[in-house]
Amino acid sequence: MTIHHLDIDVVKAGLADGSMLIIDVREPHEYAAGHIPGSVNLPLSRFDPDEIPTDSGKRIVFSCAAGVRSMQALSLAQQAGLPLDEHYRGGFKEWAMLGEPVES
């Protein structure tokens, strides 16, 4: 399994130029409390790779609180045959800690 661990600068650049879609796999209550602007919530507890919006033309990057669940979701997506291999290693905790914008 190939995994690319993205840092915050790569994520910020991808969001800024509109080339990236963040899939936040935290639970709905976590997502509702705050998330990376523009991200889509697909909770790991009921994760279905078929629900990933791969038709957007954007790079799909998984994110969670700190990088553990995003790697699990990435593994499930790869097992389903999807050509996805990127996750945001720092996750929402790093994003918020560094003072980046948060939607709730």
Side-chain angles (χ1 to χ4, degrees):
M1 179 170 77
T2 301
I3 297 176
H4 292 101
H5 306 279
L6 305 184
D7 65 27
I8 192 168
D9 294 327
V10 173
V11 172
K12 283 171 60 176
L15 291 173
D17 69 13
S19 66
M20 185 179 288
L21 177 63
I22 300 292
I23 304 294
D24 188 327
V25 298
R26 297 175 302 147
E27 293 308 301
H29 70 277
E30 294 173 281
Y31 183 81
H35 54 269
I36 296 171
S39 62
V40 173
N41 188 219
L42 295 178
L44 185 62
S45 62
R46 55 178 187 263
F47 186 75
D48 180 352
D50 290 338
E51 293 179 3
I52 299 168
T54 54
D55 58 351
S56 68
K58 297 183 179 187
R59 289 167 62 188
I60 301 294
V61 176
F62 292 94
S63 178
C64 61
V68 175
R69 288 176 284 179
S70 59
M71 284 187 51
Q72 293 172 331
L74 185 53
S75 175
L76 292 169
Q78 289 182 347
Q79 289 170 25
L82 296 173
L84 305 175
D85 62 6
E86 296 180 307
H87 89 114
Y88 171 26
R89 180 196 318 251
F92 184 74
K93 285 183 178 178
E94 178 185 63
W95 183 268
M97 183 184 71
L98 293 176
E100 295 301 325
V102 171
E103 282 182 353
S104 56

